[in-house]
Amino acid sequence: MAHTQEPRKDHTSALWEGNIYLVGGESAPTTTEVVDVEAGESSRGFDLTLPAEFPGRQGHCSIQIQSDIILTGGKGETGGGDAMLGYVTKY
């Protein structure tokens, strides 16, 4: 089992090519991590920079479509409140 780079709460996850992607969350809303379960290692993934006015994501939902991760709803690092509910972002 791997330890995460950041504590995660209110994040989502996706499985791709044998790795688990941990996406956003309250403690680390602008980051993702890639967890290699077989190797027991975690490394930093891509940054959550969209939408530019409310970067990051927490309390959101995610949908995996092949190699794409689609994030819906939630709130950004600095909030965004109800404005974020209408955002759908593809990474």
Side-chain angles (χ1 to χ4, degrees):
M1 189 54 68
H3 290 281
T4 60
Q5 301 281 312
E6 301 281 346
R8 300 276 168 184
K9 177 183 173 186
D10 295 331
H11 63 287
T12 58
S13 60
L15 180 63
W16 186 58
E17 293 189 346
N19 294 311
I20 297 171
Y21 285 75
L22 303 177
V23 181
E26 184 177 311
S27 301
T30 61
T31 66
T32 64
E33 292 181 47
V34 182
V35 180
D36 182 330
V37 177
E38 284 190 29
E41 299 174 351
S42 176
S43 60
R44 184 156 178 148
F46 56 90
D47 290 331
L48 300 174
T49 57
L50 301 172
E53 59 271 29
F54 303 115
R57 212 48 90 81
Q58 54 186 310
H60 57 284
C61 293
S62 63
I63 305 156
Q64 182 179 351
I65 302 174
Q66 296 176 355
S67 62
D68 294 326
I69 298 174
I70 313 297
L71 304 182
T72 65
K75 59 183 178 178
E77 178 180 34
T78 58
D82 290 343
M84 288 296 291
L85 297 178
Y87 279 97
V88 177
T89 311
K90 177 178 151 184
Y91 288 94

